[in-house]
Amino acid sequence: MASDAVVSYPSINPERIPKHVAIIMDGNGRWAKQQGHMRIFGHKHGVNAVRNTLEFAAEIGIEYVTLYAFSTENWSRPEREINALMQLLVDTIEKELPNLMKNNIRLKTIGNIHQLPARCARQLKETEEATANNNRTTLILALSYSGRWDIIEAVKKIATSAKNGDINIEDISEETLNKALNTAAYPNPDLLIRTSGEMRISNFLLWEIAYSEIHFTSVLWPDFRKEHFLQAVMDYQSRERRFGKTSEQLIPKEKGASEE
Ligand code: FPP
């Protein structure tokens, strides 16, 4: 509810809370190195940032948060790091269930979940079921995910439908692709945040971020806290979202409106 945001964070405009925030959580390895530790130390501390982020999102009424937790390309990292990340994922999801319930957060996933170790897929499924009735914020974990992978999978589905005569090629539209993507059930992100000072998209939600506002911060992911998320939301609220129109065409009501 917007009213909670007004009380706790007076600098936020409760009428323009982003509906969907996507985050590229970057900088765990560098953070660990700075402290003289192995990379996994950074990932473990990254969990505190995840908890903080979700609490803030639920607090101010952000409906969807998508976290880029493991990309298709991350499979080429050293096996030791992959195994440690998968174990961290299982442990975290299990341990964080009470917090998800307390904050009324529902868990969902996007990506090639079948590629994950069986224990990971099982833990995700169990937690999805346990949180299915939560309705404050939806946490979408992108795992074994990349934007190009999802687009290719969607194109395969559409091509199969065309081949089977279920769809005419002339009828293929943006909507057709929207519906074929892993993200079909969710609105496009209003705001994309990337931590660690890197300024690129790294194959994340390529189709969906066409009109997202982008906020880059130099903060390394394990240090990311509510105050940094608040900065990102304030930055978002200062932008004029035109969706290709001119500034003059936007009547005040439309200025804050979500694309959907
Ligand atoms: C990128 O930092 C981070 C990852 C590839 C993994 C993110 C995982 C977590 C935050 C832990 C668990 C998360 C959940 C949702 C349970 P990097 O390793 O690329 O850092 P670097 O660029 O400094 O090397």
Side-chain angles (χ1 to χ4, degrees), residues 145-155 180-183 208:
Y145 170 89
S146 75
R148 286 183 179 175
W149 166 82
D150 201 12
I151 291 169
I152 291 167
E153 291 305 304
V155 168
L181 290 166
N182 266 236
T183 50
E208 296 84 346

Side-chain angles (χ1 to χ4, degrees), residues 89-100:
L89 187 69
V90 176
D91 294 346
T92 304
I93 297 167
E94 195 178 6
K95 222 172 77 200
E96 292 299 320
L97 181 61
N99 277 331
L100 294 177

Side-chain angles (χ1 to χ4, degrees), residues 36-52:
H37 288 281
M38 308 274 286
R39 298 176 54 79
I40 189 64
F41 185 76
H43 297 316
K44 282 185 181 160
H45 280 264
V47 173
N48 298 331
V50 171
R51 193 182 305 115
N52 229 260

Side-chain angles (χ1 to χ4, degrees), residues 25-30 39 43 46-47 50 69 74 77 85 88-89 92 141 221:
M25 311 180 284
D26 195 18
N28 293 352
R30 273 163 285 168
R39 298 176 54 79
H43 297 316
V47 173
V50 171
N74 285 154
R77 289 197 173 193
L85 263 172
L88 181 62
L89 187 69
T92 304
L141 285 184
W221 180 252

Side-chain angles (χ1 to χ4, degrees), residues 138-187:
T138 298
L139 161 63
I140 304 155
L141 285 184
L143 290 161
S144 193
Y145 170 89
S146 75
R148 286 183 179 175
W149 166 82
D150 201 12
I151 291 169
I152 291 167
E153 291 305 304
V155 168
K156 285 185 201 165
K157 281 186 219 163
I158 297 166
T160 307
S161 299
K163 193 173 144 195
N164 295 341
D166 297 331
I167 185 170
N168 292 322
I169 289 176
E170 299 70 40
D171 294 336
I172 295 173
S173 63
E174 281 195 18
E175 202 44 35
T176 318
L177 200 78
N178 282 337
K179 284 187 177 150
L181 290 166
N182 266 236
T183 50
Y186 315 117

Side-chain angles (χ1 to χ4, degrees), residues 51-211:
R51 193 182 305 115
N52 229 260
T53 294
L54 293 175
E55 212 175 278
F56 180 79
E59 226 175 315
I60 72 163
I62 295 172
E63 290 179 43
Y64 301 89
V65 174
T66 300
L67 298 180
Y68 205 7
F70 194 85
S71 71
T72 308
E73 291 75 22
N74 285 154
W75 287 114
S76 39
R77 289 197 173 193
E79 202 181 327
R80 204 161 97 139
E81 183 172 344
I82 295 175
N83 291 340
L85 263 172
M86 292 300 150
Q87 193 55 48
L88 181 62
L89 187 69
V90 176
D91 294 346
T92 304
I93 297 167
E94 195 178 6
K95 222 172 77 200
E96 292 299 320
L97 181 61
N99 277 331
L100 294 177
M101 299 310 287
K102 189 180 93 188
N103 292 306
N104 198 4
I105 297 171
R106 171 175 77 138
L107 176 73
K108 294 298 234 181
T109 59
I110 52 172
N112 194 356
I113 303 304
H114 305 297
Q115 236 183 327
L116 300 176
R119 67 183 194 289
C120 269
R122 211 169 32 240
Q123 187 62 56
L124 287 164
K125 189 166 176 279
E126 274 175 33
T127 311
E128 276 193 43
E129 284 166 9
T131 61
N133 292 326
N134 293 348
N135 59 11
R136 177 75 171 162
T137 298
T138 298
L139 161 63
I140 304 155
L141 285 184
L143 290 161
S144 193
Y145 170 89
S146 75
R148 286 183 179 175
W149 166 82
D150 201 12
I151 291 169
I152 291 167
E153 291 305 304
V155 168
K156 285 185 201 165
K157 281 186 219 163
I158 297 166
T160 307
S161 299
K163 193 173 144 195
N164 295 341
D166 297 331
I167 185 170
N168 292 322
I169 289 176
E170 299 70 40
D171 294 336
I172 295 173
S173 63
E174 281 195 18
E175 202 44 35
T176 318
L177 200 78
N178 282 337
K179 284 187 177 150
L181 290 166
N182 266 236
T183 50
Y186 315 117
N188 288 329
D190 299 295
L191 170 64
L192 171 70
I193 301 172
R194 181 171 189 147
T195 60
S196 93
E198 304 290 353
M199 296 192 195
R200 51 177 177 268
I201 303 302
S202 298
N203 213 350
F204 189 40
L205 299 171
L206 297 179
W207 172 269
E208 296 84 346
I209 60 164
Y211 281 100

